[in-house]
Amino acid sequence: MYLGGLGRSGTTLLERLLGELPGVVALGEVVHLWERGVLAQELCGCGAAFPACAFWSAVGERAFGGWTTSVAGRVLTLRRRVDRTRRIPRIAHPDLAEYAQAYQMLYTAAGAPVVIDSSKHASLACCLVAAGVDVSIVHVVRDPRAVAHSWGRTVERPEDGHPMTRWSPARTAVHWTAQNAALELLAGRGARVVRVRYEDLVAAPVDTLTGLARRLGLATAELPFIDGSTAWLGPSHTASGNPMRFHVGRVELRRDDAWVSGLAVRDRRAVDLLTWPLRARYGYRSAA
Ligand SMILES: [Zn+2]
């Protein structure tokens, strides 16, 4: 299962919740594993450094005979050639099969009936689909005003204490449209794409997750880890992603509407303009 959408749209929360389902393993943002996990040896979601995590050591051994700088370097080289947003309309490339195969080997080595890759980028989703990897895409959308407000905030990366990337509201709006349009294009090409809104997930988590599981053909089990608007998360081995990946225990599923008072009127208008008509398609009305 591949979670696609623009960052700060709730993909990490959705991944953690889906990862609590039986037979499902959440891997985090695999697209960043090669550089941040293998090369920079950043922390796994379980709190261990990537090379010290028993889960990832076993996966690396099964998939590639161990994690080496040459495996990571090769995938990063292929990524630069193949996995580009501008290549989406014509994805065919001689290196595509080898690039997608690295992901396929890693997913298989994770050893679960269903694995989740929350890499988000539409371009990687496109590579996997074009190469014939058996993948369902969950397209996560969130109100672009809320996304723009989130990208403007200063957030520290727990991995190294450095601030996360910040974008202006206009830049966020352009990326929001590009990523969502690309994922729409993929659905139009016959890929299995299921769309979910972050706002629906936090407003009705059980119904939304149950509906999602049904549409993805997963066993719609009970969801004992959710009670009303509270969820309990166990440890996970997410290789990279939003700081929320380290959270274990109770989490309140509450819609974050900080943008309503936090986003300047001129920025809100700019985002409204730059995200139309997809914004309307997803049910986010123009702000007054
Ligand atoms: Zn781990």
Side-chain angles (χ1 to χ4, degrees):
M1 195 188 308
Y2 185 94
L3 304 195
L6 188 62
R8 318 286 174 90
S9 295
T11 45
T12 306
L13 174 65
L14 178 61
E15 172 177 38
R16 296 294 308 280
L17 293 170
L18 288 169
E20 293 295 321
L21 294 172
V24 180
V25 166
L27 302 179
E29 299 176 12
V30 180
V31 71
H32 297 304
L33 171 148
W34 320 100
E35 184 153 12
R36 298 180 190 166
V38 181
L39 299 181
Q41 309 193 347
E42 289 190 353
L43 295 180
C44 173
C46 70
F50 184 83
C53 169
F55 171 81
W56 281 113
S57 297
V59 172
E61 197 61 46
R62 284 194 291 269
F64 309 108
W67 297 112
T68 59
T69 51
S70 67
V71 167
R74 178 65 182 158
V75 175
L76 288 168
T77 300
L78 294 168
R79 182 184 168 200
R80 278 189 290 275
R81 291 183 196 155
V82 180
D83 185 354
R84 311 297 286 263
T85 302
R86 64 180 163 75
R87 295 198 61 86
I88 289 175
R90 293 175 61 83
I91 202 79
H93 189 283
D95 290 326
L96 174 65
E98 187 190 348
Y99 180 64
Q101 195 192 14
Y103 285 84
Q104 175 72 74
M105 286 159 72
L106 186 153
Y107 299 153
T108 304
V114 177
V115 296
I116 308 176
D117 178 350
S118 65
S119 292
K120 299 181 298 205
H121 304 171
S123 56
L124 176 53
C126 224
C127 290
L128 298 174
V129 168
V133 174
D134 179 17
V135 62
S136 294
I137 293 152
V138 179
H139 176 189
V140 187
V141 295
R142 184 181 181 190
D143 189 314
R145 283 75 55 110
V147 177
H149 183 249
S150 181
W151 275 99
R153 285 204 289 226
T154 307
V155 182
E156 191 180 275
R157 292 186 79 232
E159 291 89 344
D160 56 15
H162 293 305
M164 291 176 77
T165 307
R166 292 178 66 193
W167 284 341
S168 71
R171 187 164 179 198
T172 305
V174 170
H175 283 291
W176 187 94
T177 294
Q179 285 297 315
N180 287 308
L183 287 159
E184 294 277 342
L185 189 72
L186 215 50
R189 286 181 184 173
R192 279 198 305 277
V193 182
V194 174
R195 191 168 66 228
V196 61
R197 300 195 328 162
Y198 161 80
E199 292 81 3
D200 297 333
L201 175 67
V202 289
V206 170
D207 287 353
T208 307
L209 284 172
T210 308
L212 197 56
R214 197 186 57 244
R215 282 149 75 200
L216 291 165
L218 300 174
T220 47
E222 299 282 301
L223 304 175
F225 56 95
I226 300 179
D227 180 14
S229 60
T230 306
W232 282 266
L233 301 174
S236 68
H237 296 286
T238 49
S240 181
N242 182 283
M244 199 255 164
R245 73 194 175 96
F246 294 108
H247 185 90
V248 174
R250 186 191 175 105
V251 60
E252 290 304 319
L253 306 174
R254 201 184 310 113
R255 183 167 157 164
D256 175 1
D257 278 332
W259 69 272
V260 175
S261 55
L263 195 63
V265 172
R266 67 172 186 285
D267 290 332
R268 192 182 302 186
R269 292 207 176 114
V271 173
D272 271 358
L273 266 172
L274 290 165
T275 56
W276 192 88
L278 276 178
R279 174 175 53 75
R281 176 168 158 77
Y282 301 147
Y284 303 120
R285 292 190 191 166
S286 298

